[in-house]
Amino acid sequence: DIQMTQSPSSLSASVGDRVTITCRASQGIRNDLGWYQQKPGKAPKRLIYGASSLQSGVPSRFSGSGSGTEFTLTISSLQPEDFASYYCLQHNTYPPTFGQGTKVEVQ
Amino acid sequence: QVRLQQWGAGLLKPSETLSLTCAVYGESFSGFTWNWIRQTPWKGLEWIGEINHRGDTNYNPSLKRRVTISADTSKNQFSLRLRSATAADTAVYYCARRYCDSARCYTLDYWGQGTLVTVSS
């Protein structure tokens, strides 16, 4: 299986901060990666697909970049509704695998 | 408006079979794969398997021996069966859709609301 190493596992930030989350794949996955936001008791919500394409309806403060083995999710200016957990998912090779998640908490 | 609604038994005894169903509203079955994923605090999110409208399936090797995913295209529903459940199968289970075109497939987009399944004697 492809291992997705996500970092950090948690971070504390304030409204307005720029936040960066990274996923590293154990082997190249082209751009076959998505980013998800999950709030307690809810299903994950897709933010980014194809590593850098913004899901319709998702605010433009969210962006994704990377290809191959290194990927980044950036929130340019953190908003109160962005405090949540974030996950990456690779779908290049079966089985699809998720990162372990990043919890973004209030500083 | 695409919507996935899932249901099934929330409490099982060890060795019983976990059974969940997901109904798809607002979208046809073809052109997508229909997936099951589970989530636990200790293992995180784990992909279980998928099925397409032709009935072709892919399973996670870690669960393949115990899992069957089936579909009833006439009802726009697909189902998960996990045999010989143990406490380690206690998780929130989600159904989800993945879009595929002629060139490639994309990441999971629409998800069901999740079902907590507890395996306990």
Side-chain angles (χ1 to χ4, degrees):
Chain A
D1 297 4
I2 293 178
Q3 305 303 314
M4 301 302 296
T5 303
Q6 188 172 338
S7 61
S9 56
S10 65
L11 65 89
S12 297
S14 301
V15 172
D17 284 354
R18 182 181 182 88
V19 169
T20 299
I21 299 168
T22 298
C23 261
R24 179 178 293 114
S26 59
Q27 63 190 71
I29 59 169
R30 302 186 306 177
N31 66 341
D32 296 330
L33 181 120
W35 287 98
Y36 295 82
Q37 177 193 70
Q38 187 179 32
K39 296 184 177 179
K42 299 293 188 182
K45 170 189 171 184
R46 191 171 75 172
L47 302 174
I48 301 287
Y49 63 95
S52 59
S53 296
L54 188 68
Q55 174 71 28
S56 175
V58 172
S60 59
R61 63 181 179 272
F62 291 93
S63 64
S65 64
S67 183
T69 60
E70 295 276 342
F71 301 88
T72 300
L73 173 70
T74 300
I75 309 172
S76 61
S77 178
L78 197 66
Q79 298 302 301
E81 59 270 29
D82 300 338
F83 291 99
S85 294
Y86 294 85
Y87 298 90
C88 61
L89 166 63
Q90 71 80 21
H91 61 95
N92 176 266
T93 301
Y94 284 101
T97 46
F98 292 84
Q100 283 300 102
T102 297
K103 188 172 184 179
V104 178
E105 300 174 300
V106 178
Q107 186 164 48
Chain B
Q1 178 82 3
V2 179
R3 185 167 61 92
L4 278 65
Q5 184 169 351
Q6 58 184 100
W7 64 89
L11 181 60
L12 301 175
K13 289 184 168 51
S15 81
E16 292 184 337
T17 296
L18 182 156
S19 182
L20 298 172
T21 298
C22 184
V24 179
Y25 300 99
E27 186 60 82
S28 68
F29 229 62
S30 62
F32 303 94
T33 72
W34 304 96
N35 294 250
W36 289 99
I37 302 97
R38 68 183 183 180
Q39 184 173 29
T40 62
W42 48 91
K43 281 192 73 175
L45 288 156
E46 180 180 32
W47 180 82
I48 299 170
E50 67 181 1
I51 190 168
N52 65 17
H53 69 282
R54 295 185 299 271
D56 303 319
T57 54
N58 290 293
Y59 298 124
N60 193 319
S62 67
L63 296 167
K64 185 174 184 175
R65 192 173 45 85
R66 297 191 292 132
V67 169
T68 300
I69 296 175
S70 59
D72 184 340
T73 56
S74 68
K75 293 183 179 179
N76 258 27
Q77 295 176 1
F78 63 108
S79 297
L80 169 70
R81 288 175 59 84
L82 178 65
R83 296 174 291 279
S84 305
T86 71
D89 295 314
T90 295
V92 176
Y93 287 76
Y94 294 100
C95 58
R97 184 188 86 165
R98 186 159 85 126
Y99 171 65
C100 297
D101 61 25
S102 57
R104 64 183 295 185
C105 287
Y106 299 84
T107 56
L108 305 171
D109 51 10
Y110 289 94
W111 294 61
Q113 77 276 20
T115 301
L116 174 60
V117 177
T118 302
V119 182
S120 174
S121 55

